Amino acid sequence: MRVKYVLIALAAVTLLAVASASAQVGRIEGVVKKQGSGEPIEGAVVDIIREDIKGNYGPLKTNKKGEFLHAGVPYVGRYTILVSAPGCAPYYATGVRPTGELMKIELGPGDGRRLTIEEVKRAQTAAPQRPMSEAEIKKQQEEYEKKRQEIEKQKADFEAMKKRFEEGLQLANNKDYTGAIAAFKEAAQLDPEQQVIHANLALALYNRGATQLNAGQRDPAKQDFTDSVSAITQALNLIEKQLSDPAKAAEAKKTKASYLKIRADSEGVLAKRFGDASMAEAAVKDYREAATLTEDPKAKKEWPLKAAETLFDAGKAQEAIVAYQEILQTDPDNIEALYRLGLAYASAEKFQESADTLQKFVDKAPASDSRVAEAKAVIQHLVVGNNLKPPKSEPDTKSTTRKRRP
């Protein structure tokens, strides 16, 4: 049996919450199917009743796959399992230990009645079980001690992992990204299934890569961005498991959006600064999926722009034009898209379209936007240099917020 401890990412994967378990807690789980066909039985009632002292840990009901689980029963106890389902004969098993070993239960046809513990006790009285031998008792005690030691080790490993994870967060906050990376890697070795560790490792790698790139250290920077993609991909693979859990799906969806954004940022740098065309396509895909998953209105608007910007900066002007056009179809007043589309048209040598689009930007942008003067100069250069038809200004629809020169 493995006791699972979980680190939970909250708000930009920087906060830590711990769900721990007592070393004396056991787990009973199983699957209920129809005898003969092997078809899972949904809604079967499972009662878990402690034998040595009074205790009832049910009823549980099986899910669509016929599965049931109780992860909070005392490990030292022995239990009787009662299972019933409509149209089936009842089933029981005694002397069950909560080791986490999967119980495979098959129900034959019957009247669907629900068995009681009193009926089981009467059956046991009529046919008493053979007493355990000293060797069997010794073996059971050895198994218990082994499981107890395993749980204690898991608990110790968790505490060590948690300590290194928190150290990594502090180092990252202090911009010691090399130290943070080492701490997160050690934490991940202690528990590789903690998606939040991989996510914070990816962030630290990205930040160190950016620092190195700004310092002209291209080769180590490229490696860090590549490693960041790998680390956040591990986090994404782990978060996928939570999306199928109705209790966790909503939060997992938000987390997945933030993880996709982290990966897209690293992929985008590899595309724009290191000429990796495949990373441009990957970044665009991740930005767009992240935008569909997030509930943040600002992010929904910004991330598709980042996708289009990645295409443009990676030298894919025509693809960038299409991307900006798609944004403007649903948001025609998006001045960022208009400005960038105008530049993309110029890069693709579509000069009339560039001048017309930049004029739309000038018409819609606030007068305080420093790019307005630049756009006007570009328009003038395009018109004069290419003998174009001067673009016409649109009617001023924002006179209450902008003032134009006469």
Side-chain angles (χ1 to χ4, degrees):
M1 177 187 70
R2 177 169 178 82
V3 177
K4 181 63 181 171
Y5 300 87
V6 181
L7 296 178
I8 302 175
L10 301 173
V13 297
T14 57
L15 299 181
L16 175 67
V18 180
S20 62
S22 166
Q24 301 302 317
V25 173
R27 165 190 190 102
I28 294 175
E29 62 180 310
V31 59
V32 182
K33 297 183 178 181
K34 288 185 179 180
Q35 194 175 71
S37 68
E39 178 185 350
I41 300 177
E42 179 182 3
V45 177
V46 181
D47 287 294
I48 303 173
I49 300 171
R50 188 163 176 177
E51 296 174 358
D52 51 340
I53 61 175
K54 186 176 182 180
N56 191 331
Y57 298 88
L60 309 176
K61 284 194 174 183
T62 55
N63 62 18
K64 291 182 179 180
K65 296 181 180 180
E67 301 166 334
F68 67 89
L69 166 66
H70 199 306
V73 298
Y75 188 80
V76 295
R78 298 177 69 86
Y79 301 85
T80 294
I81 309 299
L82 309 177
V83 184
S84 60
C88 297
Y91 166 96
Y92 75 90
T94 60
V96 176
R97 300 278 296 127
T99 61
E101 183 178 353
L102 184 70
M103 297 181 66
K104 297 180 180 180
I105 299 169
E106 291 188 343
L107 301 185
D111 57 8
R113 69 187 182 87
R114 188 171 176 182
L115 198 63
T116 67
I117 189 62
E118 288 74 18
E119 291 175 298
V120 174
K121 289 179 178 179
R122 285 197 296 270
Q124 290 177 314
T125 302
Q129 294 182 342
R130 177 181 64 81
M132 294 177 65
S133 67
E134 290 185 6
E136 289 172 330
I137 293 172
K138 181 180 179 181
K139 181 180 180 182
Q140 186 182 86
Q141 290 173 339
E142 290 173 348
E143 289 176 351
Y144 168 76
E145 180 61 22
K146 181 180 179 181
K147 296 298 182 183
R148 187 190 67 79
Q149 290 176 2
E150 288 177 358
I151 294 172
E152 288 295 336
K153 183 180 184 303
Q154 290 166 16
K155 186 176 181 181
D157 287 346
F158 172 78
E159 291 300 328
M161 176 272 291
K162 176 175 175 286
K163 180 180 179 181
R164 291 302 284 147
F165 176 73
E166 291 175 339
E167 289 172 353
L169 291 177
Q170 185 61 51
L171 290 165
N173 288 336
N174 293 334
K175 298 185 178 181
D176 180 357
Y177 300 121
T178 298
I181 289 165
F184 290 139
K185 284 183 176 179
E186 289 181 23
Q189 287 178 344
L190 289 165
D191 191 347
E193 295 186 10
Q194 298 285 357
Q195 42 91 6
V196 67
I197 298 177
H198 298 293
N200 279 277
L201 172 60
L203 284 171
L205 286 162
Y206 176 89
N207 286 324
R208 188 174 72 174
T211 302
Q212 292 174 147
L213 186 59
N214 290 334
Q217 300 172 1
R218 288 181 57 82
D219 288 343
K222 181 179 181 180
Q223 188 62 56
D224 275 349
F225 290 122
T226 302
D227 291 344
S228 177
V229 171
S230 297
I232 199 62
T233 298
Q234 290 187 63
L236 281 162
N237 291 338
L238 291 168
I239 203 68
E240 284 292 337
K241 299 177 183 178
Q242 299 181 14
L243 291 170
S244 59
D245 185 343
K248 300 177 181 178
E251 192 61 36
K253 183 179 175 182
K254 296 178 185 178
T255 303
K256 182 179 180 181
S258 66
Y259 287 1
L260 286 167
K261 165 62 164 54
I262 293 171
R263 187 167 70 177
D265 286 345
S266 288
E267 291 166 337
V269 174
L270 289 169
K272 294 182 287 187
R273 302 297 296 274
F274 296 95
D276 190 333
S278 66
M279 285 292 103
E281 297 173 0
V284 170
K285 180 178 181 294
D286 283 344
Y287 278 131
R288 288 174 173 171
E289 184 179 358
T292 64
L293 292 175
T294 186
E295 296 179 1
D296 182 353
K298 183 178 179 182
K300 276 190 178 296
K301 187 172 183 176
E302 289 182 351
W303 293 350
L305 281 168
K306 281 188 167 291
E309 178 184 344
T310 299
L311 290 168
F312 179 72
D313 290 345
K316 295 177 175 289
Q318 192 56 53
E319 291 91 333
I321 289 171
V322 174
Y324 285 122
Q325 288 173 335
E326 289 175 353
I327 294 171
L328 290 166
Q329 284 177 359
T330 56
D331 187 10
D333 293 328
N334 190 316
I335 61 172
E336 296 298 327
L338 284 169
Y339 177 74
R340 287 278 183 172
L341 178 58
L343 298 181
Y345 274 135
S347 181
E349 298 185 356
K350 296 183 177 183
F351 300 126
Q352 186 66 62
E353 291 90 338
S354 176
D356 293 342
T357 304
L358 288 173
Q359 184 62 54
K360 291 180 181 179
F361 164 77
V362 170
D363 294 338
K364 295 178 183 294
S368 59
D369 193 320
S370 60
R371 295 171 298 179
V372 170
E374 175 191 344
K376 288 180 178 179
V378 172
I379 293 169
Q380 182 66 21
H381 175 76
L382 289 171
V383 170
V384 173
N386 297 280
N387 194 27
L388 303 179
K389 180 180 180 181
K392 294 182 179 180
S393 296
E394 293 183 356
D396 187 0
T397 59
K398 298 183 179 180
S399 59
T400 58
T401 58
R402 294 180 57 222
K403 292 183 179 180
R404 296 181 182 274
R405 293 182 179 179

